[in-house]
Amino acid sequence: DAGVTQSPTHLIKTRGQQVTLRCSPKSGHDTVSWYQQALGQGPQFIFQYYEEEERQRGNFPDRFSGHQFPNYSSELNVNALLLGDSALYLCASSPGAGYTFGSGTRLTVV
Amino acid sequence: AQSVTQPDIHITVSEGASLELRCNYSYGATPYLFWYVQSPGQGLQLLLKYFSGDTLVQGIKGFEAEFKRSQSSFNLRKPSVHWSDAAEYFCAVGNFGNEKLTFGTGTRLTIIP
């Protein structure tokens, strides 16, 4: 049984560009959450999707947007990239007793 | 607002010694508490969780944690560490239905021979 899969694993973008990250949840999970983990920090909640709608949102600007598809997979889009957006982006799926996390996408903005 | 404090940024322990990682939380309702482990460049792996019931929780890899409501703590323990336990450990708090997790800043564990 595959867990949470994320793609790509690594990505380098130029400041001002746009990026799309992808996530396939664990089989049977219908809720997807995205977290940003800056170097040396704990993960910070970006938003959560359920039934193709954004259910909750953390303190992130509108440059961060997402989407959930009927098969429960999800995308995270970041527009107008800033150097400070460089981080590990983690996708997590639920429900369950605690999330199941993917291995993340390492985004570097130069 | 919910918050988690992990007061120890970095802990060094000898292999075979016991370990305790501290976690304090602030939460208005009954919390759900979690401990995750992260190896370098990897995602998060769930070690254990507390929802209700017995306040001593057993997890994977020989870890356990004790929920103490009076101290707002959920400390992680292991009686004898192995070199493979070297990693970053994160405590998190959430609640059922909300499912948003708030993480601490983590404790980096180094194991010395």
Side-chain angles (χ1 to χ4, degrees):
Chain A
D1 177 28
V4 178
T5 57
Q6 294 186 243
S7 62
T9 55
H10 294 83
L11 202 54
I12 300 175
K13 288 289 189 178
T14 302
R15 189 172 48 183
Q17 285 188 316
Q18 179 264 345
V19 68
T20 297
L21 311 182
R22 296 176 176 82
C23 172
S24 293
K26 183 177 180 179
S27 178
H29 285 187
D30 59 6
T31 302
V32 173
S33 301
W34 288 91
Y35 288 78
Q36 180 196 65
Q37 186 179 19
L39 199 62
Q41 300 296 315
Q44 298 290 317
F45 176 76
I46 302 175
F47 44 53
Q48 182 181 87
Y49 276 84
Y50 173 70
E51 293 188 341
E52 302 180 50
E53 292 191 358
E54 184 181 291
R55 184 161 72 172
Q56 294 185 75
R57 189 177 182 91
N59 295 324
F60 280 81
D62 292 344
R63 298 187 297 109
F64 289 76
S65 63
H67 187 77
Q68 186 179 35
F69 299 94
N71 66 353
Y72 307 130
S73 67
S74 177
E75 290 181 348
L76 164 65
N77 301 291
V78 187
N79 295 321
L81 284 166
L82 304 174
L83 296 180
D85 295 331
S86 296
L88 180 67
Y89 288 84
L90 295 164
C91 172
S93 72
S94 57
Y99 289 134
T100 299
F101 280 86
S103 297
T105 294
R106 171 71 64 186
L107 173 65
T108 302
V109 182
V110 298
Chain B
Q2 58 199 57
S3 66
V4 175
T5 301
Q6 293 182 247
D8 303 305
I9 297 173
H10 184 204
I11 284 183
T12 299
V13 178
S14 297
E15 190 168 15
S18 64
L19 170 70
E20 183 169 27
L21 303 182
R22 296 184 290 165
C23 172
N24 292 97
Y25 69 91
S26 173
Y27 196 74
T30 300
Y32 282 18
L33 295 159
F34 305 85
W35 275 99
Y36 285 88
V37 61
Q38 185 178 38
S39 297
Q42 299 299 310
L44 300 171
Q45 181 183 23
L46 179 67
L47 286 176
L48 48 78
K49 57 190 180 289
Y50 172 78
F51 286 172
S52 64
D54 191 349
T55 57
L56 186 61
V57 180
Q58 302 297 319
I60 63 171
K61 303 184 180 185
F63 286 93
E64 67 177 26
E66 186 171 11
F67 171 60
K68 294 185 177 180
R69 184 184 298 275
S70 61
Q71 299 177 21
S72 297
S73 69
F74 189 57
N75 294 347
L76 182 71
R77 300 193 295 250
K78 187 170 185 178
S80 176
V81 298
H82 185 261
W83 64 266
S84 60
D85 293 324
E88 189 90 19
Y89 290 80
F90 292 95
C91 181
V93 65
N95 77 322
F96 182 79
N98 182 306
E99 298 196 64
K100 163 191 170 183
L101 294 183
T102 298
F103 285 85
T105 52
T107 297
R108 183 161 62 94
L109 176 64
T110 298
I111 308 296
I112 57 176

